[in-house]
């Protein structure tokens, strides 16, 4: 059985703007035959300081899964 995984993340601040993002993907053959699993998870967050007591925050997230498991638990 095999597993492949990728994880990337990073962020920085540019003046009044802060950004952060991450990406995680995995492909696994599972613990038994016909239990393949593939997923990808993407996340992005940005914060902009409008004033000393106000911030504008934007969050975006996407998740996709392709699983051959017919049950969980």
């Amino acid at each position: 059985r095999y597993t492949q995984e990728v994880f990337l993340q990073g962020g920085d601040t540019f003046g009044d703007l802060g950004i952060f993002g991450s990406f995680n993907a995995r492909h696994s053959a599972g613990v038994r035959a016909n239990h393949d699993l593939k997923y990808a998870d993407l996340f992005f967050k940005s914060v902009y300081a409008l004033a000393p007591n106000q911030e504008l925050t934007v969050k975006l997230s996407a998740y996709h899964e392709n699983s051959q498991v017919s049950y969980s638990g």
Side-chain angles (χ1 to χ4, degrees):
R1 316 293 319 148
Y2 68 90
T3 298
Q4 297 172 326
E5 187 166 17
V6 174
F7 180 73
L8 303 169
Q9 73 176 19
D12 208 343
T13 303
F14 306 95
D16 293 335
L17 177 67
I19 59 171
F20 174 79
S22 69
F23 174 75
N24 188 17
R26 182 175 184 150
H27 181 204
S28 175
V31 295
R32 293 184 220 133
N34 300 320
H35 278 212
D36 293 356
L37 169 67
K38 292 181 187 178
Y39 74 82
D41 187 13
L42 179 65
F43 175 79
F44 174 79
K45 180 179 179 179
S46 177
V47 179
Y48 183 72
L50 299 171
N53 61 350
Q54 291 181 330
E55 292 180 337
L56 175 65
T57 301
V58 175
K59 290 183 185 180
L60 301 172
S61 182
Y63 182 82
H64 175 73
E65 178 181 333
N66 182 1
S67 175
Q68 300 301 319
V69 179
S70 60
Y71 63 90
S72 292

